[in-house]
Amino acid sequence: DAGVIQSPRHEVTEMGQEVTLRCKPISGHDYLFWYRQTMMRGLELLIYFNNNVPIDDSGMPEDRFSAKMPNASFSTLKIQPSEPRDSAVYFCASSRQGHSGANVLTFGAGSRLTVL
Amino acid sequence: GQSLEQPSEVTAVEGAIVQINCTYQTSGFYGLSWYQQHDGGAPTFLSYNALDGLEETGRFSSFLSRSDSYGYLLLQELQMKDSASYFCAFASGGGADGLTFGKGTHLIIQP
């Protein structure tokens, strides 16, 4: 398996522009998570899906952020309009219900976003 | 509220043993996980404790005390490649929810 695949790996954009981050989870994983990592706030859960359905989006910071999962193999995180404070590494992770009860997340390599 | 506390930085010597502590606060608790992240990399799963006690996986062990809301990660026979950040995390909603992560402990290993 190729693991969780994210694109783009790096994105530099100007304030006000739309940003779309993409994620392909591991085949067979029921859960997909979007995290944001910054030095100040650490790893923050933004939203997660179960079987393509959004379950908890309470971590999405503002209405400028939206996420979709149109099918089991693809998800997007969109920021419109982007602001400098959105600069961070955005990770996508997927998992399946652990038989031991553990929720083992497999993370993608991340998308490093810089908003100028 | 929900929170995890861990030291921001720990320094140890190659070949030694180091313990990274984690205390947590949450209304619901289903186990404590540990993840490792190298600079510029993605977090990777290390271990999980659902019950009190010690779980051992090679050079790494993890401990949990639910009554004390406390756990630790123990790394033995430290190698330079163990230099990384280590995060404790919990799922507070049935194990299938997204994990809440601590701020991470940066482990520095000196030769």
Side-chain angles (χ1 to χ4, degrees):
Chain A
D1 199 320
V4 177
I5 300 172
Q6 291 187 245
S7 65
R9 290 294 313 277
H10 302 274
E11 173 98 3
V12 180
T13 190
E14 293 189 344
M15 183 174 62
Q17 296 298 306
E18 178 180 292
V19 173
T20 300
L21 308 178
R22 298 172 178 80
C23 176
K24 179 180 178 356
I26 292 174
S27 177
H29 280 193
D30 318 285
Y31 292 87
L32 184 139
F33 307 86
W34 282 100
Y35 281 87
R36 176 172 69 175
Q37 186 174 38
T38 61
M39 287 295 293
M40 290 297 295
R41 302 175 67 91
L43 269 164
E44 302 173 276
L45 176 63
L46 301 178
I47 185 172
Y48 77 94
F49 298 81
N50 178 213
N51 291 322
N52 313 340
V53 176
I55 303 300
D56 184 357
D57 65 353
S58 60
M60 297 285 260
E62 301 170 33
D63 291 345
R64 298 184 296 107
F65 286 68
S66 63
K68 294 182 180 179
M69 192 166 186
N71 57 62
S73 59
F74 183 66
S75 177
T76 60
L77 177 68
K78 187 173 293 188
I79 309 171
Q80 166 63 20
S82 58
E83 297 182 3
R85 60 193 166 125
D86 302 331
S87 297
V89 180
Y90 291 81
F91 286 103
C92 175
S94 68
S95 73
R96 55 187 171 91
Q97 187 93 38
H99 52 272
S100 66
N103 191 9
V104 179
L105 271 60
T106 301
F107 284 80
S111 294
R112 181 174 294 276
L113 174 64
T114 302
V115 183
L116 303 174
Chain B
Q2 301 183 63
S3 66
L4 301 102
E5 296 291 330
Q6 50 182 134
S8 59
E9 187 174 284
V10 171
T11 301
V13 178
E14 191 177 14
I17 299 172
V18 71
Q19 178 173 312
I20 299 174
N21 298 319
C22 174
T23 57
Y24 60 86
Q25 183 176 19
T26 178
S27 55
F29 180 78
Y30 290 85
L32 192 69
S33 300
W34 289 91
Y35 283 74
Q36 178 191 59
Q37 184 180 29
H38 287 98
D39 283 348
T44 56
F45 174 79
L46 286 178
S47 68
Y48 172 75
N49 294 70
L51 304 174
D52 286 2
L54 195 67
E55 293 282 341
E56 298 182 65
T57 309
R59 295 187 296 114
F60 294 1
S61 303
S62 57
F63 172 83
L64 176 65
S65 168
R66 296 171 73 107
S67 60
D68 296 322
S69 298
Y70 163 75
Y72 66 71
L73 180 69
L74 191 74
L75 295 81
Q76 304 182 72
E77 301 173 17
L78 285 171
Q79 302 174 11
M80 296 304 291
K81 67 177 182 179
D82 297 329
S83 294
S85 291
Y86 293 84
F87 297 84
C88 56
F90 60 57
S92 58
D97 288 350
L99 296 180
T100 298
F101 285 83
K103 289 288 181 65
T105 298
H106 186 206
L107 175 61
I108 299 169
I109 300 175
Q110 298 173 337

